[in-house]
């Protein structure tokens, strides 16, 4: 997989010399005389520029610090094939799914008051479901396509059902905390230069209006989001007791012991893993390059979809990297976290705007919700700026 300045997914090369130094990438046979090439141990600037792959770019003055040795280098003692890599990965994730499901049943019993443990088990269940679904999506050609499509759709349904309750709870916490900060002793200063005719009297009036409306806005948000969270909890419980979920659990249980691979021998080779992983990376680089520049209007909500798509593509790339190398790329941790914050801020801003459209609310409440919406949209802008700063391949970003 080729990047503007370095590689993360491995590509076999036949000319690796014996006696590789300790800080060089570990080698691994993928066929007669073939070895793995992992750039995870050194910056792209220390290697000849790669212009052969699709979407390869020249780094713009990128040097970068040397990356640590590949933590999964010892994993590949055999061929980089679906039997040796993809099948064990899917079986391991399926085992984690079943283990998390058992813990969820144990901690969700009426006699068990450990709600925190139940929430942790739900997160672990979603984590395994996402990874199985991502692997089925990226490496579909190496598997039975009909089986992969069906199981991926069911896992997406389950993950979405389980995520809603947690999302509503986090959204309420975020908005209430933001209201407390906004309704403090001083109204947050507007961005840019203050108008010359604006007086301290208008500031005092704004602080008073926000203070009055913040409490009512918080109560309104709590009613709306708590109701949505309760409904999501009921929907999750209903889903976990449905025949559809039991069919999903049975399919994952079968996956833990038997992975339906593609019948063709060509689907078992290293190319069956490396080419789909490279395509996943190239889609990510293309999406990042197409993101709006940094000087765009933060209230342009039409641009949110491109950022959400980039987040999904980054997740698929991380999972593909995890399959091929055995671990996610640590260089993308900060960028992924920034996109998660971006999604949370976008959804929180949408919740504030929806609450402001409630009929017959007091003007002070609507004013507080408007300030809250503006605050969350500026959090969206801040998350985008953090992504641009933490994205390790700056050559792929759009410039203003």
């Amino acid at each position: 997989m080729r990047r503007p300045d370095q590689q993360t997914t491995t590509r076999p090369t036949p000319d690796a010399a014996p006696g590789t130094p300790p800080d060089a990438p570990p080698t691994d046979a993928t066929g007669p005389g073939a070895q793995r090439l992992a750039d995870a141990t050194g910056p792209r600037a220390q290697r000849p520029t790669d212009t052969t792959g699709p979407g390869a770019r020249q780094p713009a003055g990128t040097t970068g610090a040397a990356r640590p040795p590949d933590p999964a280098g010892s994993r590949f003692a055999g061929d980089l094939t679906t039997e040796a890599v993809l099948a064990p990965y899917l079986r391991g994730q399926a085992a984690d799914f079943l283990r998390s499901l058992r813990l969820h049943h144990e901690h969700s019993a009426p006699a068990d008051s450990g709600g925190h443990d139940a929430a942790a088990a739900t997160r672990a269940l979603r984590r395994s479901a996402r990874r199985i679904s991502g692997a089925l999506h990226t490496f579909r050609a190496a598997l039975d396509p009909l089986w992969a499509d069906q199981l991926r759709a069911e896992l997406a349904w389950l993950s979405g059902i389980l995520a809603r309750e947690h999302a509503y709870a986090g959204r309420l916490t975020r908005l209430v905390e933001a209201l407390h900060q906004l309704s403090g002793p001083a109204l947050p200063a507007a961005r840019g230069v203050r108008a010359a005719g604006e007086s301290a009297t208008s500031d005092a009036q704004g602080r008073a209006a926000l203070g009055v409306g913040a409490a009512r806005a918080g109560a309104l948000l709590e009613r709306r989001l708590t109701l949505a969270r309760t409904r999501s909890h009921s929907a999750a419980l209903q889903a976990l007791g449905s025949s559809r979920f039991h069919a999903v659990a049975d399919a994952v249980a079968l996956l833990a012991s038997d992975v339906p691979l593609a019948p063709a021998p060509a689907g078992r080779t290293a190319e069956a893993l490396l080419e789909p992983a490279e395509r996943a990376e190239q889609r990510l680089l293309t999406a990042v390059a197409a993101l709006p520049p940094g000087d765009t209007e933060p209230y342009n909500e039409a641009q949110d979809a491109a950022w959400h798509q980039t987040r999904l593509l980054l997740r698929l790339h991380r999972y593909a990297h995890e399959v091929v190398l055995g671990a996610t790329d640590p260089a993308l941790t900060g960028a992924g976290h920034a996109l998660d914050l971006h999604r949370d801020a976008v959804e929180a801003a949408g919740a504030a705007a929806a609450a402001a459209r409630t009929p017959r609310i007091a003007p002070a409440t609507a004013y507080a919700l408007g300030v809250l919406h503006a605050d969350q949209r500026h959090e969206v802008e801040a998350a985008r700026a953090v992504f641009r700063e933490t994205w390790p391949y700056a050559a792929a970003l759009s410039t203003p």
Side-chain angles (χ1 to χ4, degrees), residues 95-107:
D96 290 342
F97 180 96
L98 297 175
R99 190 179 305 111
S100 302
L101 181 59
R102 186 184 70 251
L103 291 175
H104 183 274
H105 286 329
E106 293 175 356
H107 295 298

Side-chain angles (χ1 to χ4, degrees), residues 223-234:
R223 287 196 304 270
R224 291 173 60 91
L225 294 177
T226 300
L227 177 60
R229 180 186 178 184
T230 302
R231 290 174 175 173
S232 299
H233 180 73
S234 300

Side-chain angles (χ1 to χ4, degrees), residues 16 34 61 118 142 177 211 222 311 351 393:
E177 290 178 352
E222 186 170 1
R311 175 179 171 272
Y393 316 111

Side-chain angles (χ1 to χ4, degrees), residues 11 79 334:
R11 164 67 63 176
D79 292 341

Side-chain angles (χ1 to χ4, degrees), residues 180-261:
H180 283 303
Q181 293 176 358
L182 292 171
S183 60
L187 190 65
R191 300 197 174 198
V193 181
R194 183 181 296 273
E198 196 170 355
S199 63
T201 303
S202 62
D203 285 343
Q205 293 174 350
R207 286 195 296 271
L210 183 61
V212 171
R216 297 177 180 176
L220 176 61
L221 289 170
E222 186 170 1
R223 287 196 304 270
R224 291 173 60 91
L225 294 177
T226 300
L227 177 60
R229 180 186 178 184
T230 302
R231 290 174 175 173
S232 299
H233 180 73
S234 300
L237 292 179
Q238 184 178 2
L240 291 176
S242 65
S243 58
R244 183 178 181 180
F245 170 74
H246 289 298
V248 176
D250 291 342
V252 175
L254 291 176
L255 177 62
S257 59
D258 180 28
V259 178
L261 299 175

Side-chain angles (χ1 to χ4, degrees), residues 301-322:
E301 298 179 359
Q303 298 176 353
D304 295 342
W307 289 89
H308 293 328
Q309 179 68 12
T310 301
R311 175 179 171 272
L312 294 178
L313 292 175
L314 176 58
R315 172 182 288 178
L316 289 175
H317 166 65
R318 289 175 55 241
Y319 294 164
H321 189 282
E322 189 174 286

Side-chain angles (χ1 to χ4, degrees), residues 117-136:
D117 293 334
T122 302
R123 288 193 297 270
L125 193 65
R126 290 174 48 221
R127 176 184 182 275
S128 299
R130 289 196 307 266
R131 278 163 169 76
I132 296 173
S133 179
L136 296 180

